[in-house]
Amino acid sequence: MFQLRHYQPEAVGAAFRRWDAGDRGTLTWLATGTGKTVISAMATKRIVEGGGRPLFIAHREDLLDGAHDAMRRELSGLQIRYELNIDRVTEYEINARPPDAVVASVQSIHKRLEKYPADFFSHIIVDEAHRGAAATYLKIIHHFDEAKLLYLSATPGRSDGKTLSGYTYQPGAELTKDQKALQAMCCQSVAYEMPRSKAIEAGWLVPFIPCIVNVDVDWSTLKIKGGDYSQEDLNKIMKDDGPLHKVAIGLKERVPDKCGVVFMPGVESAKGLAQMLTRTYGINAESLDGKTEKNLRRGIVRRAKSGELQCLVNVGVAVEGFDSPYWEYVADCQPTKHAGRYEQKLGRGVRPIDPAIFDGLSERHQAAERRAAIAASSKPTFLMMDFIGQMGLLSKPINSFDVLMGELPHHDYKGQPKPSDANVRKVLAKRPGMTLQEARQRASDEQYLHELMMSKRWSAEVQGEVRTQEFENYYTIPWTWTQEPEKGPRRPPPGKEATEKQKRYILRLYRENGRPMPTREFMDGLTKGQAGAVINRLKEGVKV
């Protein structure tokens, strides 16, 4: 039997209350590391005891393995059928020997959906539910059209704007007719919520320390594809020795003896960094990507999860369902505009190094004791490192400071501003080579910049203030904007900095002249005299 935490039976009970109230589907939003597998096993047990037959589906083998093992422990004596990469199931197996519950991959069920009667399952539990709006999931959900739905996710938002329920992850975003229909078909409510900030406050997860490292590489030319940075373009830049040495030096200086995970944009850059860390910097590292041979992959995963491997350099593999309590840092060299993607990477470091520290501390009122237990452990915090190139003011990826302050970027959290047709036409007139999608993105970015300049946040955004922030849901940690120690940002003498009015005017001239926007470092380094000279040159049409 599991040692239950106070919120786990609460979450299961909340889902059943939503079903009793008439909802077909409901969402349980739980942070990474809070035990969604336990909740799925508890829900399965209650469904079976009530005479139902549940189906648990997920898209990854490790997620399915964990759920199957948990259900076998919790539901001993019942038949739990595990279907993974099975090409055919006979009518006899389905009808004459029906199981009590089924754990299956989405791909396996989708292939042989016609074999199952529409009323075969009474409930469907969907893990990593932000994927539930995909066509393969929807086909399964619509086939078993009377089944109750339980969605489990740590990141319920999607980068394509689709949502799972009447709960909208991006407030203010306009939904298309299809997306609204999707909401009604899939899920009507949020039964229970415990996002990462609440879980840290409650003492269940390890807090993080933010750290931003400038890799001193020009990323201003990165294209936007599908609403996010082009990973192909980024991989071409990051696979060179210069950027890889910057990343390796950052890791060697800050986490030389710790275990952790690094996210890279492509196979070439990942393999290059792993080899460089091992051969040049004395850090035991291996790379992992979607094409890694199966047996080799299993060995790397085993060493990473056991703490034997010091550094796992991966390409989109160590995300959902992939965790190691030994990871004391997460290094992100794969910038994103999507909060859900960043949250998945951040979640790789939140698990306490030893769950036994919570023994006897499972009640709601024991939050202070749990936080003290984490603080006294060998992993009181973990380091969230963002390796960021020079991207300019108009292209700001999500970083650990945004998350810490609860200020996720404008495009992802508050809803992307919708540019007017007139502004899009102006952008296209200045940049004839742009596609319509790129022009809309540019016009939207310019509108955001205008809003930013008009707000009180402008001075903090442009000048990069160094502050100590008292924050409610985390421990109080001093933080700074971290730069490479041997090459800090260039600053003018006190009292001689360019004024905010000058900076706003410079940005306006750049925009009107159709030039690439200046970098943050360039703007921060201007004196009043230099700013005046830049303004005069821009007025004359001279390249600055």
Side-chain angles (χ1 to χ4, degrees):
M1 295 294 290
F2 300 106
Q3 182 180 5
L4 298 179
R5 301 174 178 181
H6 68 85
Y7 58 85
Q8 290 169 335
E10 292 175 2
V12 174
F16 275 82
R17 286 193 294 274
R18 294 312 311 169
W19 288 330
D20 292 340
D23 292 345
R24 183 193 174 195
T26 190
L27 171 68
T28 296
W29 177 14
L30 291 169
T32 299
T34 53
K36 293 189 293 294
T37 302
V38 175
I39 289 173
S40 64
M42 292 177 62
T44 297
K45 181 180 180 180
R46 186 164 168 179
I47 291 167
V48 172
E49 289 175 346
R53 181 186 296 118
L55 166 66
F56 177 94
I57 55 175
H59 69 295
R60 293 172 63 104
E61 184 175 349
D62 43 5
L63 296 172
L64 295 166
D65 286 343
H68 185 235
D69 292 343
M71 290 180 191
R72 288 175 62 187
R73 290 193 303 267
E74 182 72 7
L75 305 173
S76 57
L78 298 179
Q79 183 186 358
I80 311 295
R81 189 161 71 202
Y82 189 12
E83 300 181 9
L84 176 64
N85 298 325
I86 300 174
D87 291 327
R88 53 189 295 271
V89 175
T90 65
E91 301 285 350
Y92 174 76
E93 289 177 303
I94 292 176
N95 298 314
R97 298 167 52 191
D100 296 300
V102 173
V103 176
S105 66
V106 174
Q107 300 86 342
S108 295
I109 291 291
H110 184 263
K111 282 181 182 179
R112 54 186 183 279
L113 200 54
E114 70 281 354
K115 299 285 186 181
Y116 286 95
D119 60 351
F120 191 79
F121 294 110
S122 63
H123 297 73
I124 300 176
I125 301 173
V126 183
D127 199 10
E128 301 301 340
H130 49 280
R131 298 179 177 273
T136 48
Y137 286 82
L138 289 178
K139 189 174 179 180
I140 296 170
I141 290 166
H142 296 163
H143 179 77
F144 304 107
D145 55 359
E146 296 298 323
K148 300 291 187 181
L149 307 172
L150 175 58
Y151 290 103
L152 302 173
S153 182
T155 53
R158 286 173 57 100
S159 59
D160 58 10
K162 294 181 180 178
T163 54
L164 298 174
S165 68
Y167 165 72
T168 303
Y169 184 64
Q170 299 174 344
E174 293 186 10
L175 299 179
T176 66
K177 182 178 179 180
D178 290 340
Q179 290 169 351
K180 291 178 180 178
L182 186 60
Q183 286 183 315
M185 287 187 289
C186 290
C187 183
Q188 288 78 48
S189 62
V190 179
Y192 197 85
E193 294 183 38
M194 182 179 279
R196 172 188 36 77
S197 58
K198 290 184 179 179
I200 292 176
E201 183 183 15
W204 294 114
L205 299 179
V206 175
F208 68 92
I209 298 176
C211 174
I212 295 180
V213 181
N214 181 8
V215 294
D216 198 23
V217 177
D218 183 13
W219 285 359
S220 62
T221 59
L222 290 179
K223 295 180 180 178
I224 302 296
K225 291 184 178 180
D228 212 342
Y229 301 108
S230 167
Q231 297 305 298
E232 294 83 0
D233 292 350
L234 189 59
N235 185 52
K236 290 177 183 177
I237 297 173
M238 292 301 295
K239 69 180 182 180
D240 293 338
D241 284 350
L244 292 181
H245 274 294
K246 285 283 186 179
V247 175
I249 290 171
L251 294 173
K252 184 67 175 178
E253 290 181 344
R254 293 167 176 82
V255 286
D257 303 317
K258 298 183 182 297
C259 292
V261 60
V262 180
F263 289 89
M264 296 299 288
V267 175
E268 294 169 302
S269 57
K271 290 183 176 180
L273 179 62
Q275 292 173 2
M276 184 176 290
L277 288 171
T278 302
R279 297 174 182 176
T280 307
Y281 293 91
I283 295 176
N284 177 23
E286 295 185 67
S287 66
L288 183 65
D289 59 77
K291 296 182 180 180
T292 303
E293 193 271 326
K294 192 171 184 178
N295 290 331
L296 178 60
R297 174 192 175 107
R298 286 176 177 170
I300 295 174
V301 170
R302 177 185 56 79
R303 289 189 290 276
K305 290 189 174 183
S306 66
E308 179 183 347
L309 179 63
Q310 188 176 352
C311 180
L312 175 66
V313 185
N314 86 104
V315 185
V317 176
V319 282
E320 301 137 334
F322 196 113
D323 300 283
S324 172
Y326 299 98
W327 288 343
E328 295 186 64
Y329 70 87
V330 176
D332 187 14
C333 304
Q334 188 184 26
T336 181
K337 286 174 170 277
H338 184 229
R341 290 175 184 162
Y342 191 87
E343 192 74 37
Q344 286 287 352
K345 289 182 277 190
L346 179 67
R348 298 317 104 197
V350 297
R351 293 180 186 270
I353 198 164
D354 183 8
I357 64 175
F358 295 144
D359 288 350
L361 299 176
S362 61
E363 299 302 322
R364 183 185 299 275
H365 65 273
Q366 295 176 305
E369 290 92 328
R370 288 190 293 270
R371 290 197 298 267
I374 290 176
S377 71
S378 58
K379 183 184 171 181
T381 59
F382 73 96
L383 190 65
M384 185 64 205
M385 304 176 69
D386 298 291
F387 289 84
I388 296 179
Q390 297 175 7
M391 304 188 76
L393 291 171
L394 284 180
S395 188
K396 180 185 176 185
I398 296 176
N399 61 63
S400 49
F401 289 99
D402 294 322
V403 177
L404 187 69
M405 300 297 294
E407 296 178 358
L408 293 180
H410 183 80
H411 296 291
D412 210 29
Y413 189 72
K414 297 179 180 178
Q416 184 166 336
K418 186 176 180 180
S420 66
D421 291 340
N423 287 338
V424 174
R425 286 195 294 270
K426 287 180 182 178
V427 172
L428 287 172
K430 293 177 182 178
R431 300 170 181 82
M434 269 193 174
T435 66
L436 181 60
Q437 181 180 358
E438 290 172 338
R440 284 173 176 163
Q441 180 70 51
R442 178 80 182 197
S444 176
D445 284 340
E446 290 180 357
Q447 182 174 330
Y448 168 52
L449 180 63
H450 175 74
E451 294 170 3
L452 182 64
M453 288 192 296
M454 295 298 104
S455 71
K456 294 181 180 179
R457 294 172 55 198
W458 170 249
S459 60
E461 289 281 344
V462 173
Q463 296 178 19
E465 291 181 356
V466 177
R467 297 172 290 177
T468 299
Q469 175 64 34
E470 301 281 342
F471 50 94
E472 181 179 357
N473 292 335
Y474 301 84
Y475 304 118
T476 302
I477 302 172
W479 58 270
T480 61
W481 184 277
T482 308
Q483 301 283 346
E484 287 294 335
E486 74 279 6
K487 191 175 180 179
R490 179 170 56 89
R491 302 286 186 184
K496 295 187 177 182
E497 303 96 334
T499 65
E500 292 181 23
K501 184 176 180 180
Q502 286 178 311
K503 291 177 181 178
R504 288 197 295 270
Y505 193 31
I506 289 172
L507 291 172
R508 196 183 93 186
L509 290 172
Y510 265 93
R511 190 162 57 249
E512 290 175 350
N513 292 340
R515 300 179 184 276
M517 299 302 288
T519 64
R520 180 175 188 162
E521 288 77 10
F522 175 81
M523 297 296 291
D524 286 347
L526 289 176
T527 63
K528 292 178 181 177
Q530 290 170 339
V534 169
I535 290 170
N536 290 333
R537 289 172 68 87
L538 287 172
K539 284 182 176 180
E540 296 169 2
V542 180
K543 185 176 180 180
V544 178

